[in-house]
Amino acid sequence: HNYARWNGGVINQGGPTTAQFASIWSQLATKYASNSKIIFGLMNEPHDMPAITPWIQAVQAAVNAIRAAGATSQIILLPGSSWSGAAQLPTEAGPQLLQVTDPAGGVNKLVFDVHKYLDVDNSGTHDECVTDNLSVFQNLVSWLKTNNRQAILSETGGGHTQSCYTYLYNELAYIKNSYPTMIGFTVWSAGAFNTVYELSVTPNADGSDQQLWIQAVKPNL
């Protein structure tokens, strides 16, 4: 979850080596090789990469290491650049990620990993939403269909405002209706996050659900 970095150095670009990145994935894959319900997400939100090609090389090495460890049944999520941005994938890292191969055969288990928020600067740090991102996802889905590939919206969310109830609902409805090109979505965030956190969908103290969950997320499950 460290943005393709260690101590500020980018993987295969002055930071950890490709061999080191492949090694950690080999160890993880060895542990979970027999569990077909596991999905391997290679990295959270790579960004500000000096160059794309070295990152693609690291991704391929990790995929190879996972399969060599005997984990051949699991989906592997391939992240691009620009914080795994859904808008940027088709023109930035996506064209090169299309060239990543799966030693297990085919590409149906190599799924692109994208994120997208709905606030004014796409940061997921504001209570209000200003877009439902439909144009972004229409473009992404078109690109995926052209290349016969799939993606997952693995991070999105909104604040506790009517604008987010409406826009997030619209976005998730589009993702749902775009199956199987978009295989699904996950919403940030719940679990240990306090219910006062801007994007929380953690149930309230009395056990009731947040309105964001009720109005935007649950109808699209």
Side-chain angles (χ1 to χ4, degrees):
H1 199 278
N2 58 349
Y3 312 104
R5 284 163 165 75
W6 178 255
N7 287 339
V10 177
I11 293 172
N12 199 26
Q13 300 186 64
T17 65
T18 292
Q20 289 172 321
F21 185 52
S23 175
I24 187 64
W25 273 112
S26 177
Q27 294 171 64
L28 289 166
T30 298
K31 180 174 179 63
Y32 295 106
S34 63
N35 189 340
S36 62
K37 296 181 179 180
I38 290 290
I39 294 177
F40 296 118
L42 294 184
M43 180 59 60
N44 178 67
E45 295 187 341
H47 66 90
D48 296 299
M49 316 291 275
I52 297 296
T53 298
W55 172 240
I56 306 303
Q57 294 167 345
V59 168
Q60 183 67 74
V63 170
N64 293 348
I66 288 169
R67 298 311 192 209
T72 58
S73 64
Q74 294 86 353
I75 288 173
I76 301 176
L77 302 184
L78 309 183
S81 55
S82 296
W83 308 89
S84 300
Q88 292 79 17
L89 183 67
T91 56
E92 290 190 1
Q96 290 190 61
L97 281 174
L98 288 170
Q99 306 307 313
V100 174
T101 59
D102 189 347
V107 293
N108 64 309
K109 292 178 182 174
L110 299 181
V111 174
F112 296 121
D113 185 4
V114 300
H115 294 181
K116 194 75 178 83
Y117 284 97
L118 305 91
D119 51 354
V120 66
D121 59 359
N122 187 41
S123 66
T125 60
H126 301 89
D127 291 320
E128 294 288 345
C129 294
V130 299
T131 178
D132 54 18
N133 293 318
L134 291 193
S135 62
V136 168
F137 285 107
Q138 287 165 352
N139 185 58
L140 175 63
V141 167
S142 176
W143 180 80
L144 291 167
K145 286 182 175 179
T146 296
N147 293 285
N148 196 28
R149 298 298 295 269
Q150 296 174 299
I152 182 171
L153 175 57
S154 65
E155 191 174 317
T156 191
H160 298 282
T161 57
Q162 189 58 54
S163 63
C164 291
Y165 301 159
T166 300
Y167 282 134
L168 184 61
Y169 173 89
N170 292 346
E171 178 190 80
L172 298 183
Y174 183 82
I175 298 301
K176 181 179 181 180
N177 291 331
S178 296
Y179 180 86
T181 303
M182 297 297 300
I183 67 170
F185 63 81
T186 57
V187 173
W188 182 271
S189 184
F193 282 86
N194 192 292
T195 54
V196 300
Y197 169 55
E198 293 94 334
L199 308 188
S200 174
V201 288
T202 303
N204 297 306
D206 63 2
S208 62
D209 286 327
Q210 298 272 6
Q211 283 300 308
L212 186 70
W213 178 268
I214 294 169
Q215 296 192 37
V217 182
K218 190 174 181 180
N220 290 305
L221 297 178

